[in-house]
Amino acid sequence: MKNLPILKLIHFSNGFYNFTNCIWFFASIQFIYYIIIFGQFSFAKNTNNASKKVPISVIICAKNEAENIKKYFPLLINQNYPDFEIVLIDDASTDDTLELFESYAKSLPMLNWLKLENNETFWGNKKYALTLGIKMAKNNHLLLTDADCYPDSKYWISQMTSQFSDKKTIVLGYGAYEKINKSFLNKIIRFETLLTATQYFSWAKLGKPYMGVGRNLAYTKEEFYNAGGFIEHMKVRSGDDDLFVNQVATKSKTAICYSPESFTHSMPKTKYKDWFNQKRRHVSTAKLYKSFDRFQLGLFYISQLLFLLLAIILLAFQYQWIVVLGIVVFRYVFSWIGLGYAAGKLKEKDVMYWYPIIEVFLIFTQLNVFFTNLISKPVHWK
């Protein structure tokens, strides 16, 4: 019995030894993601495709977006592209959105618009509005964005359509958020957008496309009809972009476009509560992804969370702290490199200066979103 304290100490030490092995394990998983998987996009050489100049229909749904339409519509009609139309869908707006559509249509022959009334069956469902807009479109090739978005250049249509081919019928683009100086929340939002884009671009290059963003997304009308439109998830309020791509995208069909001239921008949330609720809506659709996509996304997040928690515990107890600190430094160096190259391509380098702090904040916010969604359902399209 005299040896009991020693035995306890040995058992305690073995426990920390196992924890040290665990942190190595999670760091290794993170290495695979940041360097091998994300490296497919981060370290890839930029390529320029010659524009195909296919006739294109730009589709935009708007609900009480009069102010944004006034600001951004001129950037759409001034696109340097020979053959395009703009299809505007007014989804039961109560502001001046409809009046703006009517006034623009008088002088713009390339503009088609549609007014929707509230429908009891599809009330508040953006997919219904999009479906009618797609049916109304004259062209087979479709380019989608949101009413609160604007293209970064007059070559937006040209750059996105350049990725279409006989086989490539889906094009994933980058929808960035505007930079707001001296706003930490803005850095968090743009970092998350960078990370998300790096993930879906990388998996697309690996032949496993799983999502896109409706702020900048293109596909053919034929692809839409072959999939039955949004019928498989029409009752789900969100997911007109990511769930559709998750359903139909394959290696052979999907291309990515990330030249700076192909970006769109929109104003991000400026209040934490609004951004948190937006994240709740986005996360709520992920549970409907294909099983492999749920697995790889879950593994990435769990490895992030457990690595962070183990690092905090082991460093707090100062057990083999030099080894643990070395692992932590190694992990942040390779992740900084992997994500940093992606940030350079997507013009988001400034958020990387805050990377470690933002990542910790984002990890625990995602955990909060997960548990909050278990308790209550998020609010979707207005």
Side-chain angles (χ1 to χ4, degrees), residues 17-257:
Y17 175 75
N18 292 332
F19 280 141
T20 306
N21 286 342
C22 284
I23 199 171
W24 264 119
F25 173 73
F26 292 124
S28 299
I29 293 175
Q30 291 283 288
F31 183 86
I32 292 172
Y33 272 95
Y34 279 100
I35 300 301
I36 298 177
I37 296 175
F38 298 170
Q40 300 296 315
F41 168 67
S42 298
F43 307 136
K45 293 182 179 180
N46 293 331
T47 57
N48 294 319
N49 289 0
S51 179
K52 305 299 186 300
K53 305 300 182 185
V54 295
I56 195 85
S57 295
V58 179
I59 301 181
I60 302 171
C61 290
K63 191 174 184 70
N64 298 324
E65 295 282 4
E67 293 304 314
N68 286 323
I69 294 293
K70 290 177 185 177
K71 287 191 294 184
Y72 304 141
F73 193 71
L75 298 175
L76 291 174
I77 62 176
N78 290 323
Q79 285 290 295
N80 187 1
Y81 199 76
D83 190 358
F84 73 99
E85 68 164 347
I86 300 175
V87 180
L88 301 174
I89 306 99
D90 174 27
D91 192 6
S93 296
T94 57
D95 64 359
D96 296 332
T97 297
L98 179 61
E99 287 73 14
L100 284 172
F101 288 179
E102 291 176 332
S103 65
Y104 291 143
K106 292 177 181 178
S107 59
L108 298 171
M110 87 276 278
L111 174 60
N112 290 308
W113 61 273
L114 179 66
K115 165 70 175 176
L116 298 186
E117 302 293 342
N118 281 328
N119 184 305
E120 287 187 10
T121 304
F122 301 108
W123 186 86
N125 195 329
K126 183 182 177 182
K127 294 172 187 174
Y128 175 63
L130 264 179
T131 298
L132 295 183
I134 290 171
K135 288 182 177 180
M136 187 179 180
K138 297 177 181 178
N139 301 312
N140 183 47
H141 292 82
L142 312 173
L143 179 55
L144 283 66
T145 189
D146 290 335
D148 62 348
C149 295
Y150 63 89
D152 271 16
S153 78
K154 62 181 180 180
Y155 302 107
W156 169 58
I157 295 178
S158 178
Q159 289 294 304
M160 288 293 289
T161 56
S162 71
Q163 303 299 322
F164 279 121
S165 68
D166 292 339
K167 292 183 178 180
K168 301 298 183 182
T169 55
I170 302 168
V171 182
L172 311 180
Y174 182 55
Y177 284 109
E178 288 186 10
K179 180 179 179 180
I180 301 176
N181 292 326
K182 298 180 180 180
S183 170
F184 185 64
L185 176 61
N186 179 256
K187 291 180 174 60
I188 295 170
I189 292 173
R190 291 192 297 118
F191 174 83
E192 185 199 24
T193 306
L194 161 67
L195 178 59
T196 300
T198 302
Q199 288 177 286
Y200 68 73
F201 280 151
S202 298
W203 282 106
K205 288 184 74 69
L206 281 168
K208 299 291 290 183
Y210 72 91
M211 71 161 285
V213 292
R215 301 188 302 278
N216 200 2
L217 176 65
Y219 48 80
T220 63
K221 185 184 288 192
E222 183 180 13
E223 195 70 58
F224 181 78
Y225 285 141
N226 288 342
F230 303 122
I231 193 66
E232 285 197 8
H233 44 85
M234 181 61 84
K235 293 182 179 180
V236 182
R237 295 289 181 89
S238 295
D240 54 277
D241 46 11
D242 60 336
L243 286 182
F244 180 75
V245 172
N246 193 262
Q247 175 191 350
V248 304
T250 64
K251 177 180 180 180
S252 61
K253 293 179 182 179
T254 308
I256 64 175
C257 187

Side-chain angles (χ1 to χ4, degrees), residues 345-374:
K345 289 183 175 182
L346 300 179
K347 307 302 178 183
E348 305 284 10
K349 281 186 176 181
D350 63 295
V351 301
M352 294 304 297
Y353 297 124
W354 297 83
Y355 166 49
I357 299 173
I358 292 176
E359 185 188 48
V360 171
F361 187 89
L362 192 57
I363 288 172
F364 287 107
T365 298
Q366 289 171 323
L367 191 63
N368 190 12
V369 167
F370 174 76
F371 285 115
T372 304
N373 278 3
L374 290 178

